[in-house]
Amino acid sequence: MELIAQADETGLAASGLACLDRCVPLFGDRVDEQALRPLWANLADGTAWDGALAGVRRSLEPGGTGGTGDAGDAGDPAGALARRMLAAVPAERTTGALRTWADGCSAAALQIHRLLDATDDGVAPLVAAELRRQIRVLELLAGSAPGGGLRQVLDVSTEGRRVLRAVVSRRARTASG
């Protein structure tokens, strides 16, 4: 919470985007892992955020080029949370809107990891790892020149996405087997 409160506009956008990026596996097995790349590129070069966002939404929404159509329904609370994170991305990159979104993404990502973790007692390992990633992302951004930490943030996010993809795949195998 404290790191989000101290983050600038780019840090807030990257923080929320990193949380959403780690949750991309919840949008379905046919979704392009790089679906959020246009928004990441926007953070680096300042191109039109709203145009990039519209394209990302088309590719991730049910019936889009990558979505499975029914992922994120009432039977999939983790997927529904990920879709709400996407729906809540502000169309304009303003500090106030991004702060609200980044804070919501942080809470939603932790809840998603809580829902997917098989541990019933104590701090769930998936949740603890997600919290560490969130803190690392904000620390990377706080300690760098504008735009300088984005590559490392993307690396942290990619690692988290791979972990979540493995969890989602394992759950799908267990449910079908």
Side-chain angles (χ1 to χ4, degrees):
M1 296 289 237
E2 183 179 323
L3 290 170
I4 289 175
Q6 296 171 359
D8 65 7
E9 181 184 303
T10 300
L12 293 167
S15 174
L17 190 54
C19 287
L20 181 58
D21 194 21
R22 289 190 295 276
C23 295
V24 163
L26 296 170
F27 286 89
D29 58 349
R30 294 185 310 223
V31 168
D32 180 2
E33 291 283 323
Q34 302 300 316
L36 298 177
R37 182 65 76 186
L39 292 175
W40 284 111
N42 173 270
L43 293 181
D45 64 19
T47 57
W49 176 262
D50 58 342
L53 177 58
V56 166
R57 283 185 171 148
R58 278 192 303 278
S59 72
L60 290 177
E61 287 178 347
T65 58
T68 59
D70 58 356
D73 65 7
D76 180 13
L81 279 169
R83 291 198 181 282
R84 281 197 291 266
M85 288 168 61
L86 175 63
V89 179
E92 293 185 31
R93 275 184 56 183
T94 63
T95 302
L98 288 169
R99 190 172 313 285
T100 300
W101 178 60
D103 189 45
C105 284
S106 172
L110 290 169
Q111 180 62 24
I112 285 168
H113 285 76
R114 193 172 293 113
L115 289 167
L116 295 175
D117 204 305
T119 305
D120 290 333
D121 57 318
V123 176
L126 276 178
V127 176
E130 172 60 13
L131 184 56
R132 282 192 303 272
R133 284 186 196 93
Q134 289 185 22
I135 291 168
R136 182 69 181 138
V137 162
L138 289 163
E139 288 174 343
L140 284 167
L141 292 165
S144 67
L150 289 177
R151 181 68 229 166
Q152 293 111 332
V153 167
L154 190 54
D155 290 344
V156 170
S157 186
T158 299
E159 171 201 358
R161 186 176 351 107
R162 288 182 184 137
V163 169
L164 198 62
R165 168 83 56 209
V167 170
V168 168
S169 294
R170 185 174 43 240
R171 286 186 69 179
R173 283 192 308 272
T174 302
S176 66

